[in-house]
Amino acid sequence: MNLPISLFIALRYWRAKNTDRFGRLVTNLASIGIVLGVTALIIVLSVMNGLEKHQKQQVLSAIPHSVIMPTSGAVSLSDPLPSLPDFVQKAVPVNITGVIFQTPNGVSAGQVIGIRDFSDDLLLQEFDPAKFSQILPSGEFKLIIGSQLALKLQLQIGDKVRLMITENSQYTPFGRVPVQRLFTVSDIYFSGTEVSGYEAFANLSDIGRLMRIRPEQAQGYRLFLTDPFQITDLPTFFSAEKWTIDDWRTQKGEFFQAVRMEKNMMGLLISLIIIVAVSNIITSLSLMVVDKQGEIAILQTQGLTKSQVRRIFILQGFLVGVVGTLIGASAGVLITLNLNEIIGVLNPQGIFLPTDINIMQIASVIGFSLLLSLLSTIYPAYRAAKIEPAEALRYE
């Protein structure tokens, strides 16, 4: 197979064993550094993606993704749903408010969600839909509370708990006091998330009465999104003049912002490994240019142009980057796919790390590494092309 002359010579130099030992050591260190940097970057980004996805599933699935409310008045239950974007899976009428739970055993802040059916919330999927009218009948002010909240307030099924709605208040001779009502605990739901420590459910109309909303109306619509992070697209579909949007970012926005910032910082820090490794390519190529001055001069006298000389060293340095990047990417993906098995061998205490391999991220890491490898060859290649045969061969 006939190769271009620049690629042929670059391959010969790259595979040569009799070159300067120090230059060969620096080249090997560059390759190892790129392998380690790319591997570590892919593993860390995949783990951070997995943690973010796990938290999204565990945390955001248990709280309302978004609640849209009219800027004035309430929505009528008899009216059809507003036009919804494709990424909204479901919309249900909802009354939702912050409350204070008060019992003889303590006080706790939380929120109550008014529902019309158990399917209106993922936390209540285990309940029999046919028993909704028995567990949360309209007008009887019954409540389903979380297991952690029941433990905190020492509540059992059948116990009474006072709900005080701080958002609404009424004037009395003693001043302004919050709306309050005694509710009966009709059931307890169990969840492994922190939501069960503050969230409770009641009949839609019962909560509506406390919020001064008519039985045939609701505060707004609760939206279930395909991806909770698409919440930023909602304002383009619901005019700010007609709708007020309240979403999960008011409760968990700072947490996910911190996770994303941590992922970006970890990626930046590990990228420095690749940058340091790529700088070794500049060193090794510069040493080779000095070592091969005579050969370069002879090649030029035999007809090799300066652009071909530049390509020799560009291709040689790029080969180091390509090999290191491909090995690092393969090792990173392989380790990520078997990360929990590896952790199980090193630490058999049952630690689980969720991972999520993002093809676009891996492509970006590979592209970043190859681009730096290519840029690192420009200066040594430029120096090699400046060699004049007469000067280089004067003392040969």
Side-chain angles (χ1 to χ4, degrees), residues 18-304:
N18 57 349
T19 56
D20 176 51
R21 289 184 179 180
F22 181 72
R24 172 60 63 178
L25 175 63
V26 174
T27 302
N28 290 337
L29 288 176
S31 296
I32 294 171
I34 292 174
V35 169
L36 293 177
V38 172
T39 301
L41 191 54
I42 289 175
I43 293 173
V44 168
L45 289 179
S46 298
V47 170
M48 295 301 293
N49 289 339
L51 289 172
E52 188 177 59
K53 183 177 179 180
H54 180 73
Q55 291 297 329
K56 189 193 301 185
Q57 293 173 342
Q58 295 297 316
V59 176
L60 298 187
S61 63
I63 63 176
H65 293 166
S66 178
V67 176
I68 59 170
M69 299 167 286
T71 52
S72 60
V75 298
S76 174
L77 299 179
S78 59
D79 290 344
L81 291 173
S83 179
L84 300 174
D86 295 337
F87 55 84
V88 175
Q89 289 181 323
K90 185 174 66 171
V92 296
V94 69
N95 289 326
I96 183 169
T97 182
V99 299
I100 301 294
F101 299 98
Q102 184 183 39
T103 69
N105 299 311
V107 176
S108 181
Q111 78 176 4
V112 174
I113 299 177
I115 58 175
R116 293 196 301 178
D117 195 88
F118 290 137
S119 61
D120 288 355
D121 196 284
L122 298 176
L123 293 172
L124 306 178
Q125 287 183 334
E126 300 299 323
F127 289 84
D128 185 358
K131 294 183 179 180
F132 180 82
S133 58
Q134 301 174 21
I135 298 175
L136 293 179
S138 176
E140 295 189 18
F141 296 97
K142 291 190 175 181
L143 200 67
I144 299 177
I145 65 173
S147 55
Q148 295 181 36
L149 182 61
L151 184 64
K152 184 191 303 184
L153 299 178
Q154 301 179 28
L155 289 171
Q156 301 290 334
I157 295 176
D159 289 348
K160 300 288 186 179
V161 56
R162 183 176 297 277
L163 264 62
M164 294 184 289
I165 302 180
T166 56
E167 299 174 7
N168 284 347
S169 58
Q170 55 188 359
Y171 291 97
T172 69
F174 302 99
R176 194 171 180 178
V177 297
V179 173
Q180 50 188 301
R181 176 84 190 201
L182 277 176
F183 276 72
T184 303
V185 177
S186 61
D187 215 320
I188 297 173
Y189 72 88
F190 296 88
S191 172
T193 64
E194 62 180 9
V195 175
S196 66
Y198 64 85
E199 196 165 273
F201 300 91
N203 191 284
L204 182 72
S205 61
D206 290 349
I207 295 299
R209 286 179 63 180
L210 297 182
M211 298 174 68
R212 298 173 184 169
I213 298 174
R214 296 178 180 178
E216 68 274 8
Q217 293 180 328
Q219 181 186 28
Y221 294 103
R222 178 181 178 179
L223 306 183
F224 295 81
L225 308 186
T226 305
D227 182 358
F229 285 179
Q230 290 180 297
I231 196 70
T232 54
D233 298 331
L234 279 181
T236 61
F237 294 91
F238 297 99
S239 171
E241 298 177 356
K242 297 181 179 179
W243 298 95
T244 300
I245 300 175
D246 184 22
D247 57 65
W248 60 264
R249 289 176 295 183
T250 58
Q251 297 183 49
K252 298 296 180 180
E254 292 183 359
F255 171 75
F256 282 93
Q257 206 169 25
V259 170
R260 180 155 292 183
M261 185 179 296
E262 185 178 355
K263 180 171 69 172
N264 292 337
M265 289 303 299
M266 290 292 292
L268 177 62
L269 292 174
I270 296 177
S271 296
L272 296 178
I273 299 175
I274 301 176
I275 295 174
V276 171
V278 166
S279 66
N280 287 333
I281 296 177
I282 301 176
T283 305
S284 64
L285 288 180
S286 299
L287 292 172
M288 179 163 285
V289 169
V290 174
D291 185 52
K292 301 292 185 181
Q293 283 191 43
E295 295 181 18
I296 294 170
I298 293 172
L299 289 171
Q300 286 182 327
T301 60
Q302 293 180 346
L304 204 68

